[in-house]
Amino acid sequence: MPDVILPVLDERDALPWVLERMPAGYTPIVVDNNSTDGSGELAASLGAQVVRETTPGFGAACFAGLTAASAEIVCFMDCDASFDPQDLPRVTAPLEHADLVLGARRGKQPPHARAANALLAFELRRRTHIAITDIGPMRAARREALLGLNIRDRRFGWPLEMVLRAAAAGWRIEEVEVPYHPRAGRSKVTGTLRGTLRAVRDMGAVLR
């Protein structure tokens, strides 16, 4: 059954809800990326495997979780309660015939985040000719194949580089719709204009 990689930076408020809703057989791996609110300790007390990654960056946390995982299939998901872990089986099911499955967010996002995501998705469609509508963080693939992509970005460009490299390698990429909910606590990316611009900057570097 899949390992679920959960990058965490000060997500103490959301952790209990996320972990208690993990589907049976899905093993959570919480990657504590320099939290100061005790997120890592709380996750460990709730029974999750905890990996410490001191290099700051979303991609650094994702890569640390990927290397720590041992299951054939790995999932990635934000740990801020904006996604429901109960939707993970819908994301992993197409792996019977697909190589990478992306969870396309359906729900209210801040206008600046929605606009930035639409622009990036358009550029990705133009370059890959794959019908992608969202560069969302909920996704699933096979662990060894992901490692073989040699994704280099360690910041917010990680999700985009994964899709670009997968498309270049001829992977079968699919999307499934997943509900998107208001996150718990303060957003460090899409909830602020500054965070969104930082993510766009990192993804722009990947596109270049």
Side-chain angles (χ1 to χ4, degrees):
M1 295 299 286
D3 286 339
V4 183
I5 298 164
L6 301 164
V8 165
L9 175 57
D10 296 334
E11 305 291 2
R12 184 180 180 88
D13 292 342
L15 266 166
W17 185 86
V18 171
L19 294 177
E20 73 182 11
R21 292 187 61 79
M22 198 64 56
Y26 284 65
T27 302
I29 300 177
V30 171
V31 184
D32 186 0
N33 195 208
N34 298 314
S35 295
T36 59
D37 67 349
S39 289
E41 292 78 8
L42 176 60
S45 73
L46 294 172
Q49 177 183 345
V50 176
V51 175
R52 311 283 180 177
E53 176 52 65
T54 58
T55 301
F58 180 77
C62 288
F63 182 71
L66 180 61
T67 55
S70 58
E72 177 187 359
I73 292 174
V74 294
C75 306
F76 296 86
M77 193 187 84
D78 281 354
C79 194
D80 57 10
S82 59
F83 294 101
D84 187 342
Q86 292 290 312
D87 292 319
L88 285 169
R90 296 173 53 203
V91 179
T92 57
L95 288 176
E96 292 184 1
H97 56 269
D99 301 303
L100 173 63
V101 184
L102 308 174
R105 292 168 287 189
R106 296 297 178 260
K108 187 175 181 180
Q109 299 182 57
H112 55 270
R114 186 169 62 250
N117 188 63
L119 179 62
L120 287 167
F122 171 80
E123 182 63 21
L124 198 54
R125 289 194 300 273
R126 187 183 71 82
R127 293 182 181 226
T128 66
H129 306 292
I130 298 172
I132 294 170
T133 64
D134 189 17
I135 319 296
M138 180 184 264
R139 51 188 60 193
R142 292 170 183 82
R143 178 180 178 273
E144 289 298 328
L146 275 179
L147 287 170
L149 289 181
N150 193 28
I151 302 170
R152 297 181 181 277
D153 188 88
R154 294 295 182 265
R155 297 177 63 83
F156 291 117
W158 166 278
L160 179 62
E161 186 180 350
M162 180 189 297
V163 179
L164 285 170
R165 286 182 177 267
W171 284 26
R172 297 161 295 180
I173 302 173
E174 289 195 11
E175 268 191 352
V176 297
E177 292 189 3
V178 293
Y180 184 72
H181 312 280
R183 62 156 288 145
R186 182 179 64 87
S187 174
K188 293 170 283 294
V189 186
T190 58
T192 66
L193 178 59
R194 181 180 179 183
T196 298
L197 291 175
R198 189 170 66 230
V200 169
R201 179 198 64 195
D202 291 347
M203 291 187 180
V206 169
L207 287 173
R208 289 192 294 274

PDB file of all heavy atoms in Angstrom, residues 156-188:
ATOM      1  N   PHE A 156       9.682  25.701  -4.568  1.00  0.00           N
ATOM      2  CA  PHE A 156       8.300  25.531  -5.016  1.00  0.00           C
ATOM      3  C   PHE A 156       8.199  25.073  -6.466  1.00  0.00           C
ATOM      4  O   PHE A 156       7.094  24.831  -6.958  1.00  0.00           O
ATOM      5  CB  PHE A 156       7.527  26.840  -4.826  1.00  0.00           C
ATOM      6  CG  PHE A 156       7.296  27.183  -3.385  1.00  0.00           C
ATOM      7  CD1 PHE A 156       7.843  28.327  -2.837  1.00  0.00           C
ATOM      8  CD2 PHE A 156       6.542  26.354  -2.569  1.00  0.00           C
ATOM      9  CE1 PHE A 156       7.638  28.653  -1.502  1.00  0.00           C
ATOM     10  CE2 PHE A 156       6.337  26.665  -1.236  1.00  0.00           C
ATOM     11  CZ  PHE A 156       6.887  27.809  -0.696  1.00  0.00           C
ATOM     12  N   GLY A 157       9.328  24.965  -7.149  1.00  0.00           N
ATOM     13  CA  GLY A 157       9.301  24.467  -8.515  1.00  0.00           C
ATOM     14  C   GLY A 157       9.214  22.951  -8.609  1.00  0.00           C
ATOM     15  O   GLY A 157       9.030  22.405  -9.704  1.00  0.00           O
ATOM     16  N   TRP A 158       9.330  22.264  -7.471  1.00  0.00           N
ATOM     17  CA  TRP A 158       9.316  20.792  -7.463  1.00  0.00           C
ATOM     18  C   TRP A 158       8.100  20.207  -8.181  1.00  0.00           C
ATOM     19  O   TRP A 158       8.261  19.333  -9.051  1.00  0.00           O
ATOM     20  CB  TRP A 158       9.405  20.301  -6.013  1.00  0.00           C
ATOM     21  CG  TRP A 158       9.068  18.860  -5.792  1.00  0.00           C
ATOM     22  CD1 TRP A 158       7.812  18.323  -5.659  1.00  0.00           C
ATOM     23  CD2 TRP A 158       9.969  17.759  -5.679  1.00  0.00           C
ATOM     24  NE1 TRP A 158       7.880  16.971  -5.458  1.00  0.00           N
ATOM     25  CE2 TRP A 158       9.198  16.595  -5.466  1.00  0.00           C
ATOM     26  CE3 TRP A 158      11.356  17.647  -5.718  1.00  0.00           C
ATOM     27  CZ2 TRP A 158       9.764  15.342  -5.310  1.00  0.00           C
ATOM     28  CZ3 TRP A 158      11.932  16.390  -5.557  1.00  0.00           C
ATOM     29  CH2 TRP A 158      11.139  15.253  -5.358  1.00  0.00           C
ATOM     30  N   PRO A 159       6.855  20.610  -7.874  1.00  0.00           N
ATOM     31  CA  PRO A 159       5.701  19.971  -8.530  1.00  0.00           C
ATOM     32  C   PRO A 159       5.699  20.161 -10.040  1.00  0.00           C
ATOM     33  O   PRO A 159       5.338  19.251 -10.789  1.00  0.00           O
ATOM     34  CB  PRO A 159       4.489  20.671  -7.887  1.00  0.00           C
ATOM     35  CG  PRO A 159       5.005  21.251  -6.614  1.00  0.00           C
ATOM     36  CD  PRO A 159       6.428  21.636  -6.903  1.00  0.00           C
ATOM     37  N   LEU A 160       6.101  21.353 -10.490  1.00  0.00           N
ATOM     38  CA  LEU A 160       6.125  21.621 -11.922  1.00  0.00           C
ATOM     39  C   LEU A 160       7.219  20.821 -12.620  1.00  0.00           C
ATOM     40  O   LEU A 160       7.001  20.233 -13.687  1.00  0.00           O
ATOM     41  CB  LEU A 160       6.333  23.115 -12.161  1.00  0.00           C
ATOM     42  CG  LEU A 160       6.394  23.560 -13.621  1.00  0.00           C
ATOM     43  CD1 LEU A 160       5.088  23.256 -14.341  1.00  0.00           C
ATOM     44  CD2 LEU A 160       6.707  25.052 -13.702  1.00  0.00           C
ATOM     45  N   GLU A 161       8.402  20.782 -12.021  1.00  0.00           N
ATOM     46  CA  GLU A 161       9.498  20.024 -12.637  1.00  0.00           C
ATOM     47  C   GLU A 161       9.148  18.541 -12.734  1.00  0.00           C
ATOM     48  O   GLU A 161       9.517  17.878 -13.717  1.00  0.00           O
ATOM     49  CB  GLU A 161      10.795  20.214 -11.853  1.00  0.00           C
ATOM     50  CG  GLU A 161      11.978  19.556 -12.537  1.00  0.00           C
ATOM     51  CD  GLU A 161      13.298  19.717 -11.788  1.00  0.00           C
ATOM     52  OE1 GLU A 161      13.337  20.504 -10.824  1.00  0.00           O
ATOM     53  OE2 GLU A 161      14.279  19.055 -12.181  1.00  0.00           O
ATOM     54  N   MET A 162       8.439  18.019 -11.746  1.00  0.00           N
ATOM     55  CA  MET A 162       8.033  16.619 -11.797  1.00  0.00           C
ATOM     56  C   MET A 162       7.208  16.343 -13.050  1.00  0.00           C
ATOM     57  O   MET A 162       7.440  15.360 -13.775  1.00  0.00           O
ATOM     58  CB  MET A 162       7.220  16.247 -10.556  1.00  0.00           C
ATOM     59  CG  MET A 162       6.762  14.788 -10.549  1.00  0.00           C
ATOM     60  SD  MET A 162       5.584  14.403  -9.225  1.00  0.00           S
ATOM     61  CE  MET A 162       6.587  14.709  -7.764  1.00  0.00           C
ATOM     62  N   VAL A 163       6.244  17.223 -13.336  1.00  0.00           N
ATOM     63  CA  VAL A 163       5.383  17.015 -14.498  1.00  0.00           C
ATOM     64  C   VAL A 163       6.174  17.189 -15.795  1.00  0.00           C
ATOM     65  O   VAL A 163       6.021  16.406 -16.740  1.00  0.00           O
ATOM     66  CB  VAL A 163       4.187  17.976 -14.449  1.00  0.00           C
ATOM     67  CG1 VAL A 163       3.302  17.779 -15.684  1.00  0.00           C
ATOM     68  CG2 VAL A 163       3.358  17.743 -13.184  1.00  0.00           C
ATOM     69  N   LEU A 164       7.031  18.202 -15.857  1.00  0.00           N
ATOM     70  CA  LEU A 164       7.819  18.427 -17.065  1.00  0.00           C
ATOM     71  C   LEU A 164       8.727  17.246 -17.374  1.00  0.00           C
ATOM     72  O   LEU A 164       8.810  16.790 -18.523  1.00  0.00           O
ATOM     73  CB  LEU A 164       8.654  19.697 -16.907  1.00  0.00           C
ATOM     74  CG  LEU A 164       7.910  21.031 -17.015  1.00  0.00           C
ATOM     75  CD1 LEU A 164       8.813  22.173 -16.586  1.00  0.00           C
ATOM     76  CD2 LEU A 164       7.403  21.255 -18.438  1.00  0.00           C
ATOM     77  N   ARG A 165       9.403  16.750 -16.357  1.00  0.00           N
ATOM     78  CA  ARG A 165      10.311  15.623 -16.583  1.00  0.00           C
ATOM     79  C   ARG A 165       9.533  14.345 -16.909  1.00  0.00           C
ATOM     80  O   ARG A 165       9.967  13.534 -17.732  1.00  0.00           O
ATOM     81  CB  ARG A 165      11.207  15.413 -15.362  1.00  0.00           C
ATOM     82  CG  ARG A 165      12.301  16.467 -15.220  1.00  0.00           C
ATOM     83  CD  ARG A 165      13.200  16.193 -14.036  1.00  0.00           C
ATOM     84  NE  ARG A 165      14.278  17.160 -13.953  1.00  0.00           N
ATOM     85  CZ  ARG A 165      15.494  16.997 -14.482  1.00  0.00           C
ATOM     86  NH1 ARG A 165      15.768  15.876 -15.138  1.00  0.00           N
ATOM     87  NH2 ARG A 165      16.429  17.931 -14.353  1.00  0.00           N
ATOM     88  N   ALA A 166       8.397  14.163 -16.257  1.00  0.00           N
ATOM     89  CA  ALA A 166       7.574  12.986 -16.545  1.00  0.00           C
ATOM     90  C   ALA A 166       7.076  13.019 -17.991  1.00  0.00           C
ATOM     91  O   ALA A 166       7.097  12.000 -18.698  1.00  0.00           O
ATOM     92  CB  ALA A 166       6.406  12.921 -15.569  1.00  0.00           C
ATOM     93  N   ALA A 167       6.633  14.194 -18.433  1.00  0.00           N
ATOM     94  CA  ALA A 167       6.163  14.312 -19.812  1.00  0.00           C
ATOM     95  C   ALA A 167       7.297  14.060 -20.801  1.00  0.00           C
ATOM     96  O   ALA A 167       7.112  13.377 -21.820  1.00  0.00           O
ATOM     97  CB  ALA A 167       5.558  15.703 -20.033  1.00  0.00           C
ATOM     98  N   ALA A 168       8.476  14.601 -20.512  1.00  0.00           N
ATOM     99  CA  ALA A 168       9.626  14.401 -21.393  1.00  0.00           C
ATOM    100  C   ALA A 168      10.021  12.933 -21.464  1.00  0.00           C
ATOM    101  O   ALA A 168      10.547  12.471 -22.483  1.00  0.00           O
ATOM    102  CB  ALA A 168      10.801  15.247 -20.916  1.00  0.00           C
ATOM    103  N   ALA A 169       9.766  12.202 -20.377  1.00  0.00           N
ATOM    104  CA  ALA A 169      10.109  10.778 -20.341  1.00  0.00           C
ATOM    105  C   ALA A 169       9.021   9.899 -20.954  1.00  0.00           C
ATOM    106  O   ALA A 169       9.152   8.675 -20.973  1.00  0.00           O
ATOM    107  CB  ALA A 169      10.356  10.353 -18.896  1.00  0.00           C
ATOM    108  N   GLY A 170       7.942  10.528 -21.431  1.00  0.00           N
ATOM    109  CA  GLY A 170       6.879   9.756 -22.068  1.00  0.00           C
ATOM    110  C   GLY A 170       5.901   9.115 -21.107  1.00  0.00           C
ATOM    111  O   GLY A 170       5.182   8.179 -21.485  1.00  0.00           O
ATOM    112  N   TRP A 171       5.840   9.614 -19.873  1.00  0.00           N
ATOM    113  CA  TRP A 171       4.915   9.043 -18.891  1.00  0.00           C
ATOM    114  C   TRP A 171       3.464   9.312 -19.296  1.00  0.00           C
ATOM    115  O   TRP A 171       3.145  10.334 -19.912  1.00  0.00           O
ATOM    116  CB  TRP A 171       5.157   9.672 -17.528  1.00  0.00           C
ATOM    117  CG  TRP A 171       6.372   9.170 -16.817  1.00  0.00           C
ATOM    118  CD1 TRP A 171       7.496   8.639 -17.367  1.00  0.00           C
ATOM    119  CD2 TRP A 171       6.603   9.216 -15.407  1.00  0.00           C
ATOM    120  NE1 TRP A 171       8.412   8.342 -16.402  1.00  0.00           N
ATOM    121  CE2 TRP A 171       7.894   8.682 -15.189  1.00  0.00           C
ATOM    122  CE3 TRP A 171       5.858   9.660 -14.324  1.00  0.00           C
ATOM    123  CZ2 TRP A 171       8.435   8.569 -13.905  1.00  0.00           C
ATOM    124  CZ3 TRP A 171       6.390   9.559 -13.045  1.00  0.00           C
ATOM    125  CH2 TRP A 171       7.672   9.008 -12.838  1.00  0.00           C
ATOM    126  N   ARG A 172       2.602   8.382 -18.883  1.00  0.00           N
ATOM    127  CA  ARG A 172       1.157   8.581 -19.035  1.00  0.00           C
ATOM    128  C   ARG A 172       0.673   9.376 -17.816  1.00  0.00           C
ATOM    129  O   ARG A 172       0.724   8.870 -16.695  1.00  0.00           O
ATOM    130  CB  ARG A 172       0.452   7.233 -19.115  1.00  0.00           C
ATOM    131  CG  ARG A 172       0.853   6.394 -20.331  1.00  0.00           C
ATOM    132  CD  ARG A 172       0.516   4.936 -20.145  1.00  0.00           C
ATOM    133  NE  ARG A 172       1.308   4.372 -19.045  1.00  0.00           N
ATOM    134  CZ  ARG A 172       1.223   3.095 -18.650  1.00  0.00           C
ATOM    135  NH1 ARG A 172       0.403   2.266 -19.251  1.00  0.00           N
ATOM    136  NH2 ARG A 172       1.976   2.666 -17.651  1.00  0.00           N
ATOM    137  N   ILE A 173       0.230  10.609 -18.056  1.00  0.00           N
ATOM    138  CA  ILE A 173      -0.159  11.519 -16.984  1.00  0.00           C
ATOM    139  C   ILE A 173      -1.668  11.743 -17.038  1.00  0.00           C
ATOM    140  O   ILE A 173      -2.212  12.035 -18.106  1.00  0.00           O
ATOM    141  CB  ILE A 173       0.587  12.860 -17.105  1.00  0.00           C
ATOM    142  CG1 ILE A 173       2.107  12.626 -17.073  1.00  0.00           C
ATOM    143  CG2 ILE A 173       0.170  13.814 -15.998  1.00  0.00           C
ATOM    144  CD1 ILE A 173       2.930  13.871 -17.360  1.00  0.00           C
ATOM    145  N   GLU A 174      -2.316  11.599 -15.894  1.00  0.00           N
ATOM    146  CA  GLU A 174      -3.762  11.807 -15.812  1.00  0.00           C
ATOM    147  C   GLU A 174      -4.093  12.750 -14.664  1.00  0.00           C
ATOM    148  O   GLU A 174      -3.298  12.908 -13.727  1.00  0.00           O
ATOM    149  CB  GLU A 174      -4.490  10.480 -15.602  1.00  0.00           C
ATOM    150  CG  GLU A 174      -4.476   9.566 -16.814  1.00  0.00           C
ATOM    151  CD  GLU A 174      -5.499   8.453 -16.702  1.00  0.00           C
ATOM    152  OE1 GLU A 174      -6.356   8.495 -15.786  1.00  0.00           O
ATOM    153  OE2 GLU A 174      -5.434   7.533 -17.540  1.00  0.00           O
ATOM    154  N   GLU A 175      -5.277  13.346 -14.752  1.00  0.00           N
ATOM    155  CA  GLU A 175      -5.817  14.180 -13.689  1.00  0.00           C
ATOM    156  C   GLU A 175      -7.112  13.570 -13.167  1.00  0.00           C
ATOM    157  O   GLU A 175      -7.882  12.984 -13.930  1.00  0.00           O
ATOM    158  CB  GLU A 175      -6.155  15.587 -14.210  1.00  0.00           C
ATOM    159  CG  GLU A 175      -5.068  16.595 -14.086  1.00  0.00           C
ATOM    160  CD  GLU A 175      -5.585  18.000 -14.386  1.00  0.00           C
ATOM    161  OE1 GLU A 175      -6.734  18.150 -14.821  1.00  0.00           O
ATOM    162  OE2 GLU A 175      -4.812  18.939 -14.173  1.00  0.00           O
ATOM    163  N   VAL A 176      -7.343  13.711 -11.882  1.00  0.00           N
ATOM    164  CA  VAL A 176      -8.644  13.410 -11.290  1.00  0.00           C
ATOM    165  C   VAL A 176      -9.023  14.603 -10.414  1.00  0.00           C
ATOM    166  O   VAL A 176      -8.163  15.229  -9.792  1.00  0.00           O
ATOM    167  CB  VAL A 176      -8.641  12.114 -10.451  1.00  0.00           C
ATOM    168  CG1 VAL A 176      -8.338  10.907 -11.314  1.00  0.00           C
ATOM    169  CG2 VAL A 176      -7.639  12.206  -9.311  1.00  0.00           C
ATOM    170  N   GLU A 177     -10.283  14.931 -10.387  1.00  0.00           N
ATOM    171  CA  GLU A 177     -10.725  16.055  -9.577  1.00  0.00           C
ATOM    172  C   GLU A 177     -10.775  15.682  -8.108  1.00  0.00           C
ATOM    173  O   GLU A 177     -11.218  14.592  -7.749  1.00  0.00           O
ATOM    174  CB  GLU A 177     -12.114  16.530 -10.032  1.00  0.00           C
ATOM    175  CG  GLU A 177     -12.110  17.161 -11.406  1.00  0.00           C
ATOM    176  CD  GLU A 177     -13.444  17.809 -11.729  1.00  0.00           C
ATOM    177  OE1 GLU A 177     -14.340  17.795 -10.849  1.00  0.00           O
ATOM    178  OE2 GLU A 177     -13.585  18.329 -12.840  1.00  0.00           O
ATOM    179  N   VAL A 178     -10.293  16.597  -7.256  1.00  0.00           N
ATOM    180  CA  VAL A 178     -10.364  16.404  -5.810  1.00  0.00           C
ATOM    181  C   VAL A 178     -10.870  17.700  -5.182  1.00  0.00           C
ATOM    182  O   VAL A 178     -10.510  18.796  -5.618  1.00  0.00           O
ATOM    183  CB  VAL A 178      -8.993  16.021  -5.198  1.00  0.00           C
ATOM    184  CG1 VAL A 178      -8.555  14.648  -5.684  1.00  0.00           C
ATOM    185  CG2 VAL A 178      -7.937  17.054  -5.528  1.00  0.00           C
ATOM    186  N   PRO A 179     -11.697  17.604  -4.146  1.00  0.00           N
ATOM    187  CA  PRO A 179     -12.182  18.822  -3.480  1.00  0.00           C
ATOM    188  C   PRO A 179     -11.034  19.562  -2.795  1.00  0.00           C
ATOM    189  O   PRO A 179     -10.107  18.951  -2.274  1.00  0.00           O
ATOM    190  CB  PRO A 179     -13.187  18.289  -2.456  1.00  0.00           C
ATOM    191  CG  PRO A 179     -13.548  16.925  -2.930  1.00  0.00           C
ATOM    192  CD  PRO A 179     -12.327  16.387  -3.611  1.00  0.00           C
ATOM    193  N   TYR A 180     -11.143  20.873  -2.815  1.00  0.00           N
ATOM    194  CA  TYR A 180     -10.152  21.731  -2.172  1.00  0.00           C
ATOM    195  C   TYR A 180     -10.864  22.577  -1.135  1.00  0.00           C
ATOM    196  O   TYR A 180     -11.883  23.200  -1.413  1.00  0.00           O
ATOM    197  CB  TYR A 180      -9.469  22.618  -3.218  1.00  0.00           C
ATOM    198  CG  TYR A 180      -8.361  23.479  -2.676  1.00  0.00           C
ATOM    199  CD1 TYR A 180      -7.148  22.922  -2.303  1.00  0.00           C
ATOM    200  CD2 TYR A 180      -8.520  24.860  -2.539  1.00  0.00           C
ATOM    201  CE1 TYR A 180      -6.116  23.708  -1.811  1.00  0.00           C
ATOM    202  CE2 TYR A 180      -7.496  25.648  -2.045  1.00  0.00           C
ATOM    203  CZ  TYR A 180      -6.298  25.072  -1.682  1.00  0.00           C
ATOM    204  OH  TYR A 180      -5.291  25.846  -1.189  1.00  0.00           O
ATOM    205  N   HIS A 181     -10.340  22.594   0.082  1.00  0.00           N
ATOM    206  CA  HIS A 181     -11.001  23.242   1.210  1.00  0.00           C
ATOM    207  C   HIS A 181     -10.142  24.380   1.761  1.00  0.00           C
ATOM    208  O   HIS A 181      -8.924  24.393   1.569  1.00  0.00           O
ATOM    209  CB  HIS A 181     -11.243  22.218   2.329  1.00  0.00           C
ATOM    210  CG  HIS A 181     -11.863  20.946   1.853  1.00  0.00           C
ATOM    211  ND1 HIS A 181     -13.205  20.813   1.615  1.00  0.00           N
ATOM    212  CD2 HIS A 181     -11.314  19.730   1.549  1.00  0.00           C
ATOM    213  CE1 HIS A 181     -13.471  19.585   1.200  1.00  0.00           C
ATOM    214  NE2 HIS A 181     -12.339  18.917   1.143  1.00  0.00           N
ATOM    215  N   PRO A 182     -10.740  25.324   2.463  1.00  0.00           N
ATOM    216  CA  PRO A 182      -9.946  26.349   3.141  1.00  0.00           C
ATOM    217  C   PRO A 182      -8.970  25.699   4.110  1.00  0.00           C
ATOM    218  O   PRO A 182      -9.339  24.815   4.874  1.00  0.00           O
ATOM    219  CB  PRO A 182     -11.002  27.175   3.886  1.00  0.00           C
ATOM    220  CG  PRO A 182     -12.276  26.926   3.162  1.00  0.00           C
ATOM    221  CD  PRO A 182     -12.185  25.510   2.676  1.00  0.00           C
ATOM    222  N   ARG A 183      -7.728  26.103   4.060  1.00  0.00           N
ATOM    223  CA  ARG A 183      -6.711  25.478   4.875  1.00  0.00           C
ATOM    224  C   ARG A 183      -6.857  25.877   6.336  1.00  0.00           C
ATOM    225  O   ARG A 183      -7.479  26.892   6.667  1.00  0.00           O
ATOM    226  CB  ARG A 183      -5.309  25.813   4.380  1.00  0.00           C
ATOM    227  CG  ARG A 183      -4.969  27.296   4.415  1.00  0.00           C
ATOM    228  CD  ARG A 183      -3.464  27.506   4.480  1.00  0.00           C
ATOM    229  NE  ARG A 183      -2.970  27.144   5.796  1.00  0.00           N
ATOM    230  CZ  ARG A 183      -1.794  26.590   6.020  1.00  0.00           C
ATOM    231  NH1 ARG A 183      -0.992  26.312   5.035  1.00  0.00           N
ATOM    232  NH2 ARG A 183      -1.410  26.308   7.242  1.00  0.00           N
ATOM    233  N   ALA A 184      -6.268  25.075   7.204  1.00  0.00           N
ATOM    234  CA  ALA A 184      -6.222  25.403   8.627  1.00  0.00           C
ATOM    235  C   ALA A 184      -4.980  26.240   8.898  1.00  0.00           C
ATOM    236  O   ALA A 184      -3.882  25.910   8.453  1.00  0.00           O
ATOM    237  CB  ALA A 184      -6.187  24.127   9.468  1.00  0.00           C
ATOM    238  N   GLY A 185      -5.135  27.346   9.644  1.00  0.00           N
ATOM    239  CA  GLY A 185      -4.001  28.190   9.970  1.00  0.00           C
ATOM    240  C   GLY A 185      -3.626  29.127   8.840  1.00  0.00           C
ATOM    241  O   GLY A 185      -4.321  29.266   7.833  1.00  0.00           O
ATOM    242  N   ARG A 186      -2.480  29.764   8.984  1.00  0.00           N
ATOM    243  CA  ARG A 186      -2.024  30.781   8.024  1.00  0.00           C
ATOM    244  C   ARG A 186      -1.303  30.132   6.857  1.00  0.00           C
ATOM    245  O   ARG A 186      -0.404  29.328   7.027  1.00  0.00           O
ATOM    246  CB  ARG A 186      -1.083  31.765   8.726  1.00  0.00           C
ATOM    247  CG  ARG A 186      -0.584  32.892   7.832  1.00  0.00           C
ATOM    248  CD  ARG A 186       0.326  33.822   8.622  1.00  0.00           C
ATOM    249  NE  ARG A 186       1.534  33.132   9.055  1.00  0.00           N
ATOM    250  CZ  ARG A 186       2.640  33.044   8.298  1.00  0.00           C
ATOM    251  NH1 ARG A 186       2.663  33.557   7.087  1.00  0.00           N
ATOM    252  NH2 ARG A 186       3.713  32.436   8.766  1.00  0.00           N
ATOM    253  N   SER A 187      -1.710  30.492   5.650  1.00  0.00           N
ATOM    254  CA  SER A 187      -1.070  29.960   4.460  1.00  0.00           C
ATOM    255  C   SER A 187       0.288  30.620   4.246  1.00  0.00           C
ATOM    256  O   SER A 187       0.436  31.824   4.414  1.00  0.00           O
ATOM    257  CB  SER A 187      -1.946  30.185   3.224  1.00  0.00           C
ATOM    258  OG  SER A 187      -1.255  29.795   2.053  1.00  0.00           O
ATOM    259  N   LYS A 188       1.254  29.808   3.835  1.00  0.00           N
ATOM    260  CA  LYS A 188       2.582  30.343   3.561  1.00  0.00           C
ATOM    261  C   LYS A 188       2.821  30.522   2.062  1.00  0.00           C
ATOM    262  O   LYS A 188       3.868  31.022   1.661  1.00  0.00           O
ATOM    263  CB  LYS A 188       3.636  29.394   4.159  1.00  0.00           C
ATOM    264  CG  LYS A 188       3.599  29.357   5.679  1.00  0.00           C
ATOM    265  CD  LYS A 188       4.450  28.251   6.255  1.00  0.00           C
ATOM    266  CE  LYS A 188       3.798  26.895   6.144  1.00  0.00           C
ATOM    267  NZ  LYS A 188       2.577  26.770   6.967  1.00  0.00           N
TER     268      LYS A 188
END
